[in-house]
Structure formats: structure tokens, C-alpha cells
Amino acid sequence: MRHATSYCSRTTLRALGPVAAIAAAALALAACSPSRPQPGNAHGSPAISRSAPAATQASPASSRGGGTGTSPAQVGATLGVSDSSGAKLDVTVEKVIDPASGANQYSNPASGKHFVGVKLRVRNKAATSYQNNANNETTIVLSTGKTRHADYNPIAGCGNFDNGQIKLASGASKTGCVTFQVPNGQKVTKILYGNTVFPGNTAQWRVS
């Protein structure tokens, strides 16, 4: 190839004699030719492969579920409830009224269902006031595994706070009932209380 002879090889040939020029030409061509690419450092690859799993490894905290406890307490126990809004509560399920009667002639369950009342005592442990709706915060789980949300019919002998609303100064407490409609033949197996808007710790009670 005509372009393979570089400027440095032509200069070397002119400066030497005929015999030495042949040997010098070979050396000049070797010195002036581009070097071949060298293979990568064999010790670099394992370092990259070791660091890759660290980026994809799940954090132990991300594998855990929400704040709901895994070991429900018995009815009558007082459990702590907190959330990201700053609420700090002591919540007690005092009793489960099953079946419960309607508070008046207009308070009746749907056909094939009956009322169940969950009596709660809520105490505000935070330094600031607490306000929320117990009807939104309380849910039950039935023997079929289905979750039920509150019904707004009043029941006899236990008021629904202030239509579900709980307003507590720091250190204050209040007691009331949350009503549910449950299909006949089914039982409540679990009660949960926790903030449905702000994530936090949800308390659980088992119903024997």
C-alpha cells in the first residue's frame, strides 16, 4: 500500500546507506505503524459485575407492607395508632355488639343483614389536637375474608361519636360506636383502625 510508508520512514531511508537502509526500513515501518488495540484489563470486568447486583437489590424496608401489625390483639386491648399527619392515639376496642338493634324505627338493616356495633375509646396522645372521622378509620373483616366499611345507621345504647366525627384536645379521650351491616350467618373476625388518607400504623383486633 503506497500510503503505508510514513514521513518518518522516508527520512530514515535517505539518511542511511543502501544496505543499512533495508534494515532501517523494516524498523521504521514497525515504529511508525499504528499499534494494535490492546485487550481490556481482565481485572476490571469482575469489579463491574460485582457492583451490578447492589443496584438492583431491594431494600428490606421496601419489602415490608404498610403499617398494619401482623399480630392482632384481643378485643379489650389498647393499641397505638399513628400516621404521617402527626396523629398519635391510644385506641381501645371495648366490645363488639353483635347483633345490635337500631336506635329508632327508621334505623333498620337491609334485608338479609343485621347491625354490628364496634365500641371504641380513642385517646389523643399527641401534643396537638386530633380530628377525624371514626366511620372512615374503622373497618371490619368477616369470616368470609371480605372487608366491610361503616354504615351510618345509629344503634341503640351507643352513639356514633358526633356523626362519626372525633375532635380531641391533647390528652383527651372519647367513646362511641361505629355501625356495620353484616350478612346474616356471617361473623366479624377482625377489626382495624387507622388513617385511610395518611399512611401510618393501623391497629388490629381479633374477634373470637
Side-chain angles (χ1 to χ4, degrees), residues 1 6 9 16 45 51 61-62 79 97 126 132-133 148 150 153 196:
M1 295 175 60
S6 63
S9 64
L16 300 174
S45 299
S51 62
S62 65
L79 301 178
I97 308 167
N132 220 319
N133 194 308
R148 288 279 180 173
N153 283 289
T196 56

Side-chain angles (χ1 to χ4, degrees), residues 126-195:
T128 56
S129 61
Y130 171 79
Q131 179 174 345
N132 220 319
N133 194 308
N135 293 331
N136 296 334
E137 309 304 276
T138 311
T139 54
I140 60 172
V141 179
L142 303 180
S143 49
T144 58
K146 292 185 178 181
T147 299
R148 288 279 180 173
H149 298 279
D151 182 81
Y152 294 91
N153 283 289
I155 59 174
C158 190
N160 182 224
F161 297 97
D162 183 11
N163 293 320
Q165 290 290 329
I166 304 176
K167 299 178 182 179
L168 297 174
S170 177
S173 63
K174 186 170 288 189
T175 301
C177 279
V178 177
T179 305
F180 298 87
Q181 288 200 40
V182 174
N184 294 334
Q186 296 186 27
K187 292 291 185 180
V188 179
T189 60
K190 192 183 296 184
I191 300 165
L192 295 88
Y193 189 97
N195 198 315

Side-chain angles (χ1 to χ4, degrees), residues 32-100:
C32 296
S33 62
S35 60
R36 293 181 180 179
Q38 298 298 316
N41 188 350
H43 298 289
S45 299
I48 296 174
S49 62
R50 284 196 300 268
S51 62
T56 57
Q57 186 175 8
S59 169
S62 65
S63 63
R64 293 192 293 268
T68 302
T70 56
S71 300
Q74 284 283 7
V75 170
T78 298
L79 301 178
V81 174
S82 60
D83 58 51
S84 60
S85 72
K88 294 181 180 179
L89 307 171
D90 272 344
V91 182
T92 308
V93 174
E94 294 191 343
K95 65 178 179 178
V96 178
I97 308 167
D98 185 5

Side-chain angles (χ1 to χ4, degrees), residues 6-16:
S6 63
Y7 171 78
C8 62
S9 64
R10 290 196 300 269
T11 303
T12 305
L13 290 174
R14 285 197 299 268
L16 300 174

